Amino acid sequence: MTNDETSLRMFQIGEFFRYREDAMAGDSYAIAEVRGIGESGPDDSLGIDHITDSPSAANTGPYIAFRLYYFPENTKIGRLPKHDKNEVLASWRTPRLRMDVFESRLINTGEPVSVITYREYCRMKAENAFRRDNGLDVEPCVNKYFVRTDFRDFELEKNDYQGEIHVDL
């Protein structure tokens, strides 16, 4: 690898990662799903033509568009009794960041994380109950979260326009 090359990891559309936004405190994190990858420029597949990760940053390099899934306790409404322990809320936001900035915000625990639909989650729980009742191995639910509802946070979306992230509404 030459000095001009970067050591960015390869991302795939549909991959999930633990992601920490600047505003998140302590051990709080969201889950990011890669939705698109492209180069900067007016004709790229992400439609990025003027986005930077800071006011002085160059508008070059690959970008990632991603969807965020928040744990209810990390939103304004908080975790309610109706929320399952494995439930996350899907944000309407689709931020776009330079790939190196996105990568710097990922939290690596060495364990994969995924988000599935509520229907898939219910099916998995039912299959596990059947397996458990019949003495079979049970599929672990660790790091598997489900989404039942979307939410909008207009304050975050407003900040996206003023800050380093561009958002499609």
Side-chain angles (χ1 to χ4, degrees), residues 70-79 83 89 151 153 156:
Y70 291 97
F71 294 97
E73 59 269 19
N74 295 333
T75 66
K76 288 181 182 181
I77 62 168
R79 186 171 288 278
H83 292 134
L89 304 175
F151 84 103
D153 187 328
L156 277 174

Side-chain angles (χ1 to χ4, degrees), residues 14-19 27 29-32 69 71 84-88 107-117 121 124-125 128 139-147:
E15 270 188 294
F16 293 94
F17 299 94
R18 289 169 185 83
Y19 175 86
D27 293 335
Y29 66 91
I31 298 172
Y69 299 89
F71 294 97
D84 188 89
K85 66 178 182 167
N86 289 31
E87 186 169 357
V88 291
I107 302 168
N108 184 3
T109 63
E111 296 179 4
V113 64
S114 64
V115 177
I116 58 179
T117 66
Y121 182 77
M124 182 182 67
K125 296 288 271 184
N128 280 346
E139 180 183 348
C141 295
V142 177
N143 299 318
K144 280 195 179 177
Y145 301 96
F146 72 90
V147 61

Side-chain angles (χ1 to χ4, degrees), residues 120-140:
E120 291 170 320
Y121 182 77
C122 290
R123 183 180 305 124
M124 182 182 67
K125 296 288 271 184
E127 287 174 0
N128 280 346
F130 175 81
R131 290 173 164 279
R132 192 173 21 262
D133 292 347
N134 291 292
L136 302 171
D137 291 336
V138 175
E139 180 183 348

Side-chain angles (χ1 to χ4, degrees), residues 22-162:
D22 289 340
M24 293 182 147
D27 293 335
S28 299
Y29 66 91
I31 298 172
E33 176 189 10
V34 176
R35 302 295 292 265
I37 302 168
E39 293 292 325
S40 62
D43 298 323
D44 73 359
S45 63
L46 296 179
I48 301 169
D49 59 356
H50 65 280
I51 304 157
T52 61
D53 59 282
S54 70
S56 62
N59 231 358
T60 60
Y63 280 78
I64 287 192
F66 53 101
R67 184 171 192 188
L68 289 169
Y69 299 89
Y70 291 97
F71 294 97
E73 59 269 19
N74 295 333
T75 66
K76 288 181 182 181
I77 62 168
R79 186 171 288 278
L80 302 174
K82 70 177 185 173
H83 292 134
D84 188 89
K85 66 178 182 167
N86 289 31
E87 186 169 357
V88 291
L89 304 175
S91 174
W92 284 40
R93 301 169 62 210
T94 306
R96 293 176 176 140
L97 287 177
R98 274 196 357 234
M99 193 177 290
D100 59 332
V101 175
F102 176 77
E103 187 173 13
S104 73
R105 294 182 181 182
L106 299 181
I107 302 168
N108 184 3
T109 63
E111 296 179 4
V113 64
S114 64
V115 177
I116 58 179
T117 66
Y118 182 62
R119 186 177 197 172
E120 291 170 320
Y121 182 77
C122 290
R123 183 180 305 124
M124 182 182 67
K125 296 288 271 184
E127 287 174 0
N128 280 346
F130 175 81
R131 290 173 164 279
R132 192 173 21 262
D133 292 347
N134 291 292
L136 302 171
D137 291 336
V138 175
E139 180 183 348
C141 295
V142 177
N143 299 318
K144 280 195 179 177
Y145 301 96
F146 72 90
V147 61
R148 185 175 9 203
T149 56
D150 290 357
F151 84 103
R152 291 193 81 158
D153 187 328
F154 294 104
E155 193 61 34
L156 277 174
E157 292 168 10
K158 183 178 86 176
N159 291 338
D160 287 342
Y161 286 117
Q162 297 170 2

